[in-house]
Amino acid sequence: MKVSREQAAENRARVIEVASRLFREKGFDGIGVADIMKGAGLTHGGFYGQFASKDDLAAEACAQTLDRSIARWMQLSAGDDPLAAIVNSYLAPSHRNAPGSGCALSALSGDAVRQPDAVRRVFTQALQSFVGILTKLVSAASRPARRRKALATMAGLVGAVILSRAVNDAGLSDEILNAAAKEFAG
């Protein structure tokens, strides 16, 4: 039975949404096309009618979730203390505890290294956007110094979330987030 264009677009969007969550939860290699399609409530056979490859889906899924994260940072940067708002949101226990709904940089950066150029390009573009936002918010004597500080802050935020997820000591995990928040909130 042939589906309408509208239904095909809805199906595609659902696959991208499910893949985005599952990639962040399980890594790129930790989930297969069949499980993504099952999670979207669709058959495996329909995948290649929508995507050229799993890598193509990974790039689209990452782009979508990273665009959402960038939009969230833009919202937070419009507040009274934007740097603290971004830092505290990124380093929140709720972000640490839910990688499937959090930032793809902290969930997938370690995996992205081994992905094709299309996925790495998405990560590069998103990182440039995040750093651009931070460059406007951090204080330093010159633009190059602000960019260096923004890059270090971004690396610290992502690293803190990764480490806080990696340890099996809840107290240490919280300590990592709190120390990073104090260091980077301004």
Side-chain angles (χ1 to χ4, degrees):
M1 178 162 128
K2 193 164 183 160
V3 298
S4 68
R5 285 186 183 175
E6 294 81 19
Q7 186 62 54
E10 287 175 23
N11 290 348
R12 181 180 173 78
R14 190 164 63 245
V15 170
I16 292 169
E17 190 69 33
V18 167
S20 175
R21 178 181 51 80
L22 291 173
F23 286 141
R24 286 178 285 165
E25 287 174 355
K26 300 178 184 292
F28 293 116
D29 295 331
I31 191 76
V33 169
D35 290 324
I36 292 168
M37 295 302 283
K38 182 178 178 183
L42 299 168
T43 63
H44 182 224
F47 177 82
Y48 292 100
Q50 298 178 20
F51 303 96
S53 65
K54 181 181 171 188
D55 294 339
D56 179 44
L57 172 60
E60 285 193 50
C62 288
Q64 177 177 290
T65 192
L66 286 164
D67 285 348
R68 287 180 184 161
S69 293
I70 292 163
R72 171 85 173 125
W73 277 37
M74 293 298 290
Q75 287 177 325
L76 291 169
S77 70
D80 290 337
D81 190 354
L83 182 58
I86 287 170
V87 167
N88 291 327
S89 173
Y90 203 85
L91 298 176
S94 58
H95 182 223
R96 172 199 58 208
N97 297 342
S101 61
C103 179
L105 290 181
S106 60
L108 293 168
S109 286
D111 284 356
V113 171
R114 292 175 291 284
Q115 295 304 303
D117 195 54
V119 172
R120 294 183 73 200
R121 187 176 315 111
V122 168
F123 273 72
T124 300
Q125 291 168 345
L127 178 62
Q128 292 286 10
S129 295
F130 286 120
V131 170
I133 293 167
L134 289 173
T135 299
K136 295 175 186 172
L137 302 177
V138 297
S139 59
S142 66
R143 173 124 176 101
R146 284 193 309 278
R147 180 160 170 83
R148 277 193 311 274
K149 190 170 182 179
L151 283 164
T153 299
M154 191 70 213
L157 293 175
V158 172
V161 173
I162 291 169
L163 289 175
S164 72
R165 288 176 178 160
V167 300
N168 69 351
D169 178 328
L172 177 58
S173 180
D174 288 340
E175 187 179 5
I176 292 166
L177 294 180
N178 292 331
K182 283 184 178 29
E183 188 67 29
F184 297 119

